[in-house]
Amino acid sequence: MKDLKTAGQATDLPEFPMQRACPYEPPEGYAALREQSPLTVVTLFDGRPAWVVTSHALARELFTDERLSSDWTNPRFPVTSPARGALQKHNVMVGMDRPEHGHYRKMVIPSFTVKRMNRLRPRLQAIVDERLDAMLAAGPPADFVESVAVPVPSIAICELLGVPYADHEYFESETRKLVIRTSGEIAASALANLRAYLDKLIAVKEAEPGEGLVDDLIADQLHQGRIDRETLVKLCTIMLTAGHETTANVISLGLLALLRHPEQFDALRDDPDLVPGAVEEMLRYLSIAEVVSRVATADFEVHGRRIRAGDAVFFTNSAVNRDPDAFPDPDVFDVRRAPRLHTGFGYGVHQCVGQNLARAELDIVFRAVATRLPRGLRLAVPFEEVKAKGPAGPQGIIDLPLTW
Ligand code: HEM
C-alpha cells in the first residue's frame, strides 16, 4: 500500500495550491487530480509533499475523522505559503482540536443561532437598502465591492460584535493584508495591528460596557476567569476578520457569476424566492474557502493509501463541490439546483460558526440584487480586467466595476 513518499514518486508532483484562471472557477488542474484518485499527492511551495482530497464522499468522511488535526501549533501542521507560517502561533478555536476547541466554540455559538439571525434580519435589510440606495443614487460607474460587498458584512459583524464601524477602514485594510499574505512580515504585522486594536477596544469596553458579543465575552468569560485576556483578543480577532472578508467574496463573486450567466440572473429576477437555493448554489459553485488544511496525528489507511502521523492533508472545497458523483453537471451554475451537502462552509466540528449570519446576509443581498438593480446592469470593464485575489486565502475579486 502506497504512502505519501511512494505514491508521490510515481509522477511529477503538481504544485499546490493552484491559481484560478477564472475568478469563480476552480483551478483547472483540480479536476484532473480528482480523476486520478480522490486522494492524490501534490507538492507545496517548500517542496513538502502533501495529500489532497478532491472527492465529495472522501471529504465528508475525512472532515469528521479525528485523526486529522486542526492544531496549528503542531510543528508538522502544513502551510501553503511562507506568510501563513508566520501566523500559526496565533490560533484559537479554528486552529485547535477537541476538547479545547469546543470550549471556545461554545462561547460564541449562541450569538449565531438561526433565531438570533432572524431577529437581526430587519437591521441587515436596512444596511443592504442603505448601501444599494447610495450606490444607485450616485449613479454609474460603481464598484460593487466597495459599495456593497465589503460594507454589508462589515457593518453586520461590527454590530454583532459591538465593534465601532467608524474604524472599518483600518480593520478592513489590515484584514486584507492578513488574508492576501503577500509576505510573512506584512501578514504578521497586520495580525499584530488587529490584535492591538482589539486589545484597546476590550480595555475601553471594560471601563464602559456596550452591547455585542465582545461585551458578552468580557462579562461572561473574561471576568469569570474562563478565558484569559490574550486568548480573548485572539478570539475577537478571528471573529472580526472571518466575519467580513469571507462573505464579501461570495457577494462580489456571486454577482459576477450572475452577470456572466444572464439566464440565471433573469431566473432570480423573475422569481426572487429562488434566492435561498441560489445562495447555496453560490456557496457550492464559488467555493471561496478553497483549501482547508489538516495534519494527521496517527497512521491509518484510507482509500488504499497509508496516511502517516505528520502527513499534510488538504481538502480542496472547489474540487469537492464540483464532484460529478455528488452534483450532476457540476460545472453548470444553476440557481434552481439548491445543492445540499456542499462543503462551502466546511464540515465536521469546525464547520463555519458564522454560516447562519452569512446565509442571512447573502439572502438579503441577492433578493435586493434581483429586485432592485436595473435590468441593464453590466460590467463596466472587460471581464478579463476584473482583478482576482491570489491563490492563498479566501478566493475573491479586488473590485467589480459596474455600469447600467
Ligand atoms: C460565506 C461566507 C463564509 C464562508 C464561505 C466561510 C467558510 C468557512 C469554512 C470553510 C470554515 C471551516 C474551516 C476549517 O474546517 O478549518 C469556517 C470556519 C469558521 N468561520 Fe466561516 N465562512 C464564512 C463566513 C463566516 C462569518 C460571517 C463568520 C463570522 C464570525 C465566520 C467565522 C468562522 C469561524 C470563527 C470559523 C472557525 C470555526 C471552528 O473552528 O470551529 N465565517 N468558515
Side-chain angles (χ1 to χ4, degrees):
M1 184 175 301
K2 288 186 170 166
D3 64 8
L4 194 56
K5 220 165 151 190
T6 48
Q9 268 167 0
T11 50
D12 269 350
L13 295 184
E15 283 179 22
F16 185 85
M18 298 177 193
Q19 171 98 42
R20 290 187 176 194
C22 164
Y24 52 79
E25 296 286 358
E28 282 159 15
Y30 288 174
L33 288 181
R34 193 183 48 239
E35 277 155 27
Q36 242 177 60
S37 163
L39 191 61
T40 45
V41 184
V42 290
T43 181
L44 305 181
F45 72 98
D46 53 1
R48 180 178 175 187
W51 296 107
V52 165
V53 180
T54 45
S55 93
H56 185 264
L58 190 61
R60 299 261 303 179
E61 183 186 330
L62 290 181
F63 257 128
T64 53
D65 193 317
E66 293 203 356
R67 294 168 295 189
L68 293 182
S69 160
S70 288
D71 181 1
W72 290 2
T73 62
N74 183 326
R76 300 287 297 156
F77 196 86
V79 293
T80 52
S81 74
R84 170 114 196 162
L87 307 178
Q88 276 193 316
K89 55 185 183 297
H90 301 289
N91 67 318
V92 65
M93 182 166 66
V94 66
M96 291 174 164
D97 291 333
R98 284 209 309 182
E100 219 186 353
H101 161 260
H103 176 68
Y104 297 109
R105 189 164 163 119
K106 271 197 217 109
M107 293 182 185
V108 296
I109 207 93
S111 297
F112 293 93
T113 59
V114 174
K115 217 166 136 190
R116 286 287 281 271
M117 293 310 120
N118 284 341
R119 267 194 272 146
L120 196 67
R121 280 187 76 101
R123 181 60 198 132
L124 294 176
Q125 184 71 56
I127 296 167
V128 171
D129 287 342
E130 210 176 282
R131 300 306 304 193
L132 276 186
D133 287 346
M135 184 182 96
L136 292 171
D143 173 14
F144 193 69
V145 171
E146 195 188 330
S147 310
V148 180
V150 171
V152 167
S154 187
I155 297 171
I157 196 68
C158 275
E159 295 198 3
L160 203 135
L161 294 179
V163 168
Y165 183 65
D167 300 335
H168 75 104
E169 278 178 17
Y170 181 68
F171 68 72
E172 283 166 8
S173 73
E174 292 305 305
T175 301
R176 186 167 289 188
K177 287 184 216 158
L178 176 68
V179 299
I180 290 183
R181 298 176 199 143
T182 28
S183 83
E185 292 73 37
I186 293 174
S189 105
L191 184 67
N193 290 342
L194 284 163
R195 289 181 56 188
Y197 167 73
L198 282 155
D199 190 42
K200 224 159 108 189
L201 184 69
I202 288 168
V204 170
K205 284 175 171 291
E206 279 193 282
E208 208 176 315
E211 269 181 37
L213 177 56
V214 176
D215 302 274
D216 294 349
L217 290 170
I218 292 170
D220 303 340
Q221 311 296 340
L222 181 67
H223 289 172
Q224 308 305 319
R226 297 191 180 108
I227 192 170
D228 64 45
R229 197 185 166 90
E230 197 191 328
T231 315
L232 177 62
V233 170
K234 288 183 185 176
L235 187 58
C236 293
T237 309
I238 285 171
M239 303 303 289
L240 182 62
T241 52
H244 73 277
E245 172 65 29
T246 44
T247 315
N249 290 320
V250 182
I251 295 174
S252 50
L253 272 186
L255 181 57
L256 180 63
L258 288 174
L259 290 168
R260 299 285 293 167
H261 298 84
E263 73 298 343
Q264 300 298 315
F265 206 162
D266 286 345
L268 281 195
R269 285 173 163 139
D270 295 343
D271 182 4
D273 287 340
L274 290 176
V275 164
V279 164
E280 296 310 313
E281 175 67 346
M282 287 173 191
L283 291 163
R284 177 195 78 86
Y285 184 78
L286 306 171
S287 285
I288 63 112
E290 184 154 271
V291 172
V292 173
S293 323
R294 299 285 188 264
V295 60
T297 51
D299 294 357
F300 63 102
E301 286 164 22
V302 67
H303 207 82
R305 298 284 187 261
R306 186 180 303 282
I307 294 186
R308 296 190 191 281
D311 281 0
V313 179
F314 291 96
F315 295 89
T316 47
N317 281 325
S318 62
V320 165
N321 287 327
R322 300 284 186 108
D323 180 348
D325 289 341
F327 306 101
D329 295 326
D331 296 324
V332 174
F333 177 54
D334 176 4
V335 295
R336 291 189 177 82
R337 180 195 300 267
R340 294 179 62 241
L341 306 181
H342 62 74
T343 60
F345 287 122
Y347 187 59
V349 290
H350 288 279
Q351 195 177 38
C352 182
V353 156
Q355 59 183 291
N356 294 330
L357 173 61
R359 282 196 170 98
E361 290 171 352
L362 293 168
D363 184 62
I364 292 168
V365 165
F366 282 103
R367 276 179 199 272
V369 161
T371 54
R372 297 201 43 205
L373 292 185
R375 289 250 170 193
L377 188 79
R378 59 196 186 279
L379 280 176
V381 295
F383 169 64
E384 295 67 34
E385 286 177 22
V386 176
K387 290 189 254 357
K389 294 181 180 168
Q395 297 298 301
I397 43 182
I398 310 278
D399 50 15
L400 184 57
L402 298 177
T403 191
W404 54 89

